[in-house]
Amino acid sequence: MRIAVVGSGYVGLVASACLAEIGHDVVCIDNDQQKVAALVRGETPIHEQFLPELLTRHRGSRLRFSGNLAEAGRGAHVVFIAVGTPPTENGDADLSYVESVSREVGQQLGDYTVIVEKSTVPVYTCEWVRRVISLNAPSPVDFDVASNPEFLREGTAVTDFLYPDRIVVGADNDRSASVLRTLYEPLTSGAYYTQPGAIKQPSGGADFPPPLIVTSTKSAELIKHASNAFLALKISFINAVANVCEAVGADVEQVCTGVGLDSRIGPRFLRPGIGYGGSCFPKDVLAFRAVARDCGYDFRLLEEVTRINDDQRQRFLRKVRNTLWTLKGKRLAVLGLAFKGGTDDIRESPALALVQALLREGCDVVAYDPAAADRAREELGGDIVRFAKGPYEAARGADALLILTDWEEFARLDLERLAGELKYPIVLDGRNMYRPEDMAAHGLTYVSVGRATITPLNRRAAMASSPATARD
Ligand code: UDX
């Protein structure tokens, strides 16, 4: 099929590469000419596993890039809208990019085309897109608007696309549903998975071939918001449980294992920490609440989800204070700036927010992130942070080490070497990446989330312990 994808951000670029990978002819369109030029030159603008391979494999053959929607979109059977929907001040999604793309698409439609909304949008967006296209089409045109929400996670976006738990097609008639069924057929029939060179499924992934469900467009729009809000709720719930664990001296990791083994609950998205971040959860929880409010329902539960999430960062900051007493002039090593491991994305990153708070308190921060340093440097602007080339360099001479992003490499540190590099052997782990016993065995004081603080009984570490650390 000939496909146009409008928007070359995370969703648009990954969808373009993956749609080419499963056999379609794709043109990815963006009005940012510099971005298009970089993609044409062969650059990969985001850090995403398998994306460089797919771009190299299909660029110039089944995958093209263009800065001209009117020209490149002509003749497409399916046009995906994958542009940004940033939050406005009161939490609504700003749909102006979706509207302007719809207008442009309307102006150049020819034969029957399915316009597919892929950005995360509030319910009724498909209705609006339909209306805008009809109003802007020069003559009556044959088209349908469908919703096909994307559930990809940054860092595993390619395999999430190729091995999804489910494919949701929101279509209000059989004709458009059947176009999207055909489009995903290489996945739903299983044909893609037997193809030589197919990207392999990561371990622990979903069953495949994936199911495809057809719903109304409104239901599909709600599925996306409800899924993200529920996952955010799960994280805030376990963070609240972690806080109770700290108060009573229980171990949240043991609680998670016990709770997660209930197949009705499941173990995923039950990892406590410093709260969720990224370009989706914070914005989507707010947007879903705004959608509900506009429809006359006050979804207060979602306000609490956001409140717990914000509070989680503050609690971690208090832990740093309680462990180190005063912060002014303290030299802190920070591991991780991205909003989660496996990505260079720093949008709404709790790690970066904590670094900024520590800088405001007068700390001297030396940070290391395997991928997000450049973006963080840009975002921090005048705020002075030194960047190290590795975790041990960051730790050298520091009063304490903070783990703020769950990069895999941070779970495999040489603890003996780490303890040797630090001025004081103190680790504050906002992602619970270690067993407290292992830290203690290496003489490290270990403060984590939802678990008792471990303070080894040796002279240097004893200096670091304070009466408040066990509780907060
Ligand atoms: C999310 C959704 O998972 C995805 O389906 C949707 O399409 C886009 O939004 P993403 O933002 O890429 O994906 O990251 P995700 O892996 O969901 O993590 C979001 C945040 O939650 C991160 O800050 C992560 O560190 C945090 N998180 C996740 C936890 O704190 N605990 C968990 O158990 C899981």
Side-chain angles (χ1 to χ4, degrees):
M1 286 178 124
R2 279 201 305 279
I3 296 171
V5 178
V6 188
S8 68
Y10 277 90
V11 172
L13 189 58
V14 171
S16 299
C18 290
L19 287 166
E21 170 73 359
I22 64 173
H24 300 296
D25 257 324
V26 183
V27 56
C28 179
I29 304 157
D30 205 295
N31 61 4
D32 180 337
Q33 303 301 335
Q34 279 184 357
K35 224 167 156 188
V36 172
L39 286 163
V40 170
R41 276 199 305 272
E43 291 169 24
T44 309
I46 50 176
H47 179 93
E48 197 59 60
Q49 202 187 11
F50 300 122
L51 190 60
E53 286 93 315
L54 292 194
L55 292 179
T56 307
R57 198 178 282 179
H58 302 297
R59 189 185 281 115
S61 53
R62 288 212 292 264
L63 177 59
R64 291 178 301 120
F65 297 97
S66 169
N68 187 335
L69 171 57
E71 186 192 279
R74 206 167 295 135
H77 300 120
V78 179
V79 177
F80 282 97
I81 302 180
V83 294
T85 53
T88 61
E89 259 176 28
N90 53 356
D92 299 317
D94 174 358
L95 298 176
S96 53
Y97 300 117
V98 175
E99 183 181 351
S100 67
V101 168
S102 307
R103 209 178 300 128
E104 264 196 80
V105 168
Q107 284 157 1
Q108 44 91 31
L109 277 187
D111 293 340
Y112 177 67
T113 313
V114 184
I115 292 90
V116 186
E117 182 45 72
K118 221 171 191 11
S119 314
T120 305
V121 290
V123 66
Y124 289 120
T125 302
C126 279
E127 296 276 335
W128 280 106
V129 170
R130 194 173 291 137
R131 205 178 297 183
V132 170
I133 291 177
S134 296
L135 282 173
N136 287 280
S139 54
V141 282
D142 194 12
F143 75 98
D144 277 309
V145 177
S147 165
N148 172 219
E150 188 50 71
F151 301 101
L152 58 81
R153 291 160 301 167
E154 290 179 21
T156 54
V158 168
T159 48
D160 284 344
F161 189 101
L162 296 170
Y163 295 88
D165 286 351
R166 78 300 203 190
I167 296 166
V168 175
V169 168
D172 291 328
N173 57 39
D174 289 345
R175 192 181 182 196
S176 53
S178 123
V179 168
L180 286 174
R181 269 208 186 89
T182 309
L183 183 132
Y184 282 111
E185 221 247 342
L187 298 182
T188 53
S189 69
Y192 171 70
Y193 308 114
T194 58
Q195 202 171 286
I199 299 288
K200 294 270 172 292
Q201 187 188 33
S203 59
D207 290 343
F208 63 91
L212 180 149
I213 63 161
V214 177
T215 68
S216 68
T217 49
K218 286 190 197 120
S219 298
E221 288 164 338
L222 280 179
I223 286 169
K224 174 67 191 189
H225 262 158
S227 300
N228 275 359
F230 188 80
L231 291 168
L233 177 145
K234 226 177 152 186
I235 298 168
S236 277
F237 183 86
I238 205 62
N239 279 330
V241 171
N243 299 337
V244 178
C245 288
E246 285 175 12
V248 302
D251 180 331
V252 73
E253 295 300 329
Q254 293 175 358
V255 175
C256 283
T257 307
V259 171
L261 280 171
D262 185 326
S263 59
R264 293 169 301 175
I265 299 173
R268 297 171 74 192
F269 281 73
L270 269 190
R271 285 196 326 274
I274 49 174
Y276 58 77
S279 65
C280 291
F281 286 171
K283 141 176 115 62
D284 290 351
V285 172
L286 287 179
F288 194 30
R289 182 149 194 250
V291 165
R293 191 186 52 223
D294 291 348
C295 307
Y297 180 68
D298 186 6
F299 207 152
R300 259 180 285 174
L301 178 63
L302 298 182
E303 188 185 4
E304 193 54 19
V305 168
T306 302
R307 195 198 60 75
I308 294 171
N309 197 56
D310 294 343
D311 189 44
Q312 210 56 17
R313 291 176 197 178
Q314 297 309 320
R315 286 184 67 94
F316 192 77
L317 200 57
R318 285 202 294 278
K319 282 181 186 167
V320 181
R321 274 196 213 105
N322 288 342
T323 310
L324 300 179
W325 191 17
T326 63
L327 291 182
K328 195 163 170 211
K330 290 273 160 73
R331 159 95 166 71
L332 298 180
V334 166
L335 298 190
L337 297 161
F339 82 97
K340 65 170 191 178
T343 176
D344 59 351
D345 197 343
I346 50 157
R347 285 176 291 176
E348 298 287 328
S349 167
L352 202 64
L354 277 165
V355 166
Q356 283 165 325
L358 292 166
L359 292 173
R360 280 195 296 274
E361 303 251 4
C363 294
D364 170 19
V365 175
V366 179
Y368 167 66
D369 186 288
D374 288 346
R375 288 185 180 211
R377 190 179 284 120
E378 221 171 275
E379 178 69 24
L380 287 164
D383 292 337
I384 307 298
V385 166
R386 279 180 289 150
F387 290 90
K389 290 197 183 66
Y392 307 103
E393 186 188 318
R396 201 157 300 149
D399 290 290
L401 176 97
L402 275 52
I403 303 177
L404 301 183
T405 304
D406 53 349
W407 279 98
E408 265 173 46
E409 75 168 88
F410 299 162
R412 293 192 303 265
L413 296 172
D414 175 341
L415 297 182
E416 199 158 324
R417 182 167 170 204
L418 186 71
E421 296 284 6
L422 286 164
K423 181 167 162 207
Y424 295 107
I426 304 169
V427 175
L428 291 113
D429 181 358
R431 301 289 188 162
N432 283 5
M433 300 197 79
Y434 286 89
R435 294 186 330 148
E437 316 79 273
D438 294 342
M439 285 287 178
H442 289 87
L444 290 153
T445 288
Y446 183 59
V447 184
S448 55
V449 180
R451 300 183 293 185
T453 293
I454 291 280
T455 308
L457 293 175
N458 68 37
R459 199 177 54 83
R460 284 174 77 203
M463 281 169 61
S465 68
S466 80
T469 47
R471 284 233 147 191
D472 201 350

